[in-house]
Amino acid sequence: MSADPSASTDRCPAPSAGRRRAAIAGALIAAFGGFASFNLMLSAMPAYAVRSGAGPSGAGALTATLMAATLVVQPFTPWLFARLGRRHALAMSGALLGLPCTVVPAASTLPALTGLAAVRGLGFGVFVVAGVTFTAELFPSGSRGRAIGWYGAVVGVAGVLGAPLGIALARQEAYTLTFALATGTAALVLVGSFGFPRAAAPARPAGPRSGRPRTLHGTWRSLRPMAGPLMVETASTTAYGVVFTFLPLTASAAPGALLAAQASTVVSRLGAGWLIDRCGGRRVLIPAVVVTTLGTAAGAASHEPALLLAGTALFGAGFGAVQSATLVLAMQAAGDRPAALGVAGVAWNVAFDGGTGIGSLAGGPLLAIGGPSTLFPATAAVLAAFLLLDLRTAHVPDSENCDLSQGD
């Protein structure tokens, strides 16, 4: 085995068609369950925190803690996959994501809630890297846009169901039911893990002391070509953290608005994946960021339900396309080796979760100071600025031709 800890985790021949289908089904079942649980808790916990006396800043701190724990564990996920194998690592992530939800009804203080959020964050960190990396490994590079699009669409459906339901249940103060549903959907991650084959832990890497410097050097070298897409990804998920954490606190129409955002994300992920495979990620990314920026700014219309609904639908459409495009671009920069795909998967998820945490943490004080009319336009301005930075450093578009009539 390579000394690189992000090397392939399952040292076995290529799976048969039946095993590959089982793994794809398992990945999608796990994706739905994990993200349904995540969105239920993400949308319900701000109100629960405010009800417990934490205030808007405390609500943001809970989401930031969740994402901070996610960030802490993600660099270690390739090592974890190598030691436990795909099935056991995915199952463990589901347990860490779901079991704390059973304890939340007994917790009302901010320190207790913060501790439970940290445990869930560890599980979520393993879960999201596993989902993205394992799905990408199951498809060749030429169809990876569509594969990631389908994965993202399932994630979006989980959001369509989870986010508005979490808000609605929180407004009815049905927190016990909310946390029970979050536990049950997280259990689907364990169910999905059985789609992956059993894999014994590989042999211990040889020569760790001599291998580690080369691994770190190689990791930094592999990250440099991804810098532009990862920068845009971080900015877009900062907007995501702001919209999904604070819109429920600022707009009475938030359940419908977030439903519109999630629904448009589903359609966008599918359409963007198809376009990416034909036109390239770069050609999809630029208009997607522009649309996301406009949708983010529309969050300021908290007392205009029709405008808010249209704006969040626009946000979801752009955001979904940004996710697919940045992930494909990062994987293209990394290359097709399993170890390189693992690095790209970790880096992209760190950008996603880091941006979400930044938005959730920084948004609270900004909302307290200037209200929604300041928070959402300022977030949109940050996203636009990062797009301009990326355009200045971007390489030549990754596809010179865009043949929309090309068949599968």
Side-chain angles (χ1 to χ4, degrees):
M1 177 179 174
S2 167
D4 187 346
S6 61
S8 180
T9 61
D10 298 333
R11 300 182 66 190
C12 57
S16 66
R19 288 184 176 181
R20 181 172 176 270
R21 284 193 294 269
I24 292 170
L28 296 180
I29 290 169
F32 175 82
F35 277 97
S37 178
F38 174 78
N39 280 285
L40 275 165
M41 296 295 285
L42 183 69
S43 56
M45 286 307 293
Y48 189 76
V50 171
R51 173 181 177 265
S52 301
S57 295
L62 283 182
T63 304
T65 298
L66 174 77
M67 305 322 297
T70 298
L71 288 170
V72 166
V73 76
Q74 283 177 340
F76 300 97
T77 52
W79 176 87
L80 190 66
F81 299 157
R83 294 307 184 272
L84 299 182
R86 287 168 169 78
R87 176 185 290 187
H88 292 155
L90 193 58
M92 184 194 71
S93 74
L96 291 174
L97 191 60
L99 289 178
C101 300
T102 64
V103 183
V104 172
S108 59
T109 64
L110 185 58
L113 293 173
T114 300
L116 292 172
V119 175
R120 290 181 57 245
L122 295 175
F124 189 64
V126 176
F127 165 72
V128 292
V129 175
V132 167
T133 305
F134 297 171
T135 301
E137 288 176 355
L138 291 169
F139 291 86
S141 59
S143 60
R144 196 163 287 149
R146 278 165 289 180
I148 290 171
W150 277 106
Y151 178 85
V154 170
V155 169
V157 169
V160 166
L161 298 175
L165 180 60
I167 295 173
L169 291 174
R171 289 184 174 178
Q172 297 296 320
E173 297 199 359
Y175 292 109
T176 301
L177 177 58
T178 302
F179 303 143
L181 288 173
T183 304
T185 49
L188 292 177
V189 180
L190 278 72
V191 173
S193 71
F194 285 97
F196 291 90
R198 294 180 183 273
R204 185 178 299 274
R209 284 183 296 181
S210 61
R212 178 165 297 182
R214 289 195 300 270
T215 297
L216 290 174
H217 179 67
T219 299
W220 283 115
R221 286 185 60 190
S222 66
L223 287 175
R224 279 199 296 267
M226 309 177 202
L230 295 179
M231 181 172 60
V232 173
E233 173 65 9
T234 302
S236 73
T237 54
T238 297
Y240 172 82
V242 167
V243 169
F244 277 80
T245 300
F246 298 106
L247 199 61
L249 303 180
T250 61
S252 60
L258 294 185
L259 177 62
Q262 295 283 13
S264 62
T265 297
V266 173
V267 177
S268 174
R269 292 296 291 260
L270 290 172
W274 181 79
L275 284 171
I276 288 166
D277 284 341
R278 286 159 174 76
C279 304
R282 174 62 57 184
R283 293 180 183 272
V284 173
L285 180 62
I286 295 171
V289 174
V290 173
V291 170
T292 307
T293 300
L294 295 174
T296 303
S302 56
H303 299 297
E304 299 287 343
L307 182 57
L308 184 66
L309 191 68
T312 51
L314 200 64
F315 173 84
F319 182 75
V322 169
Q323 303 315 292
S324 291
T326 53
L327 181 54
V328 169
L329 287 169
M331 289 184 168
Q332 286 176 349
D336 261 349
R337 294 178 299 104
L341 290 177
V343 171
V346 171
W348 185 85
N349 276 289
V350 166
F352 185 108
D353 299 327
T356 303
I358 291 169
S360 302
L361 188 61
L366 193 56
L367 178 64
I369 293 170
S373 61
T374 297
L375 173 62
F376 294 102
T379 305
V382 170
L383 180 54
F386 272 76
L387 174 61
L388 293 176
L389 284 173
D390 178 53
L391 289 176
R392 291 191 63 180
T393 59
H395 293 89
V396 177
D398 49 356
S399 177
E400 294 297 335
N401 299 309
C402 185
D403 183 5
L404 298 182
S405 65
Q406 180 181 345
D408 293 334

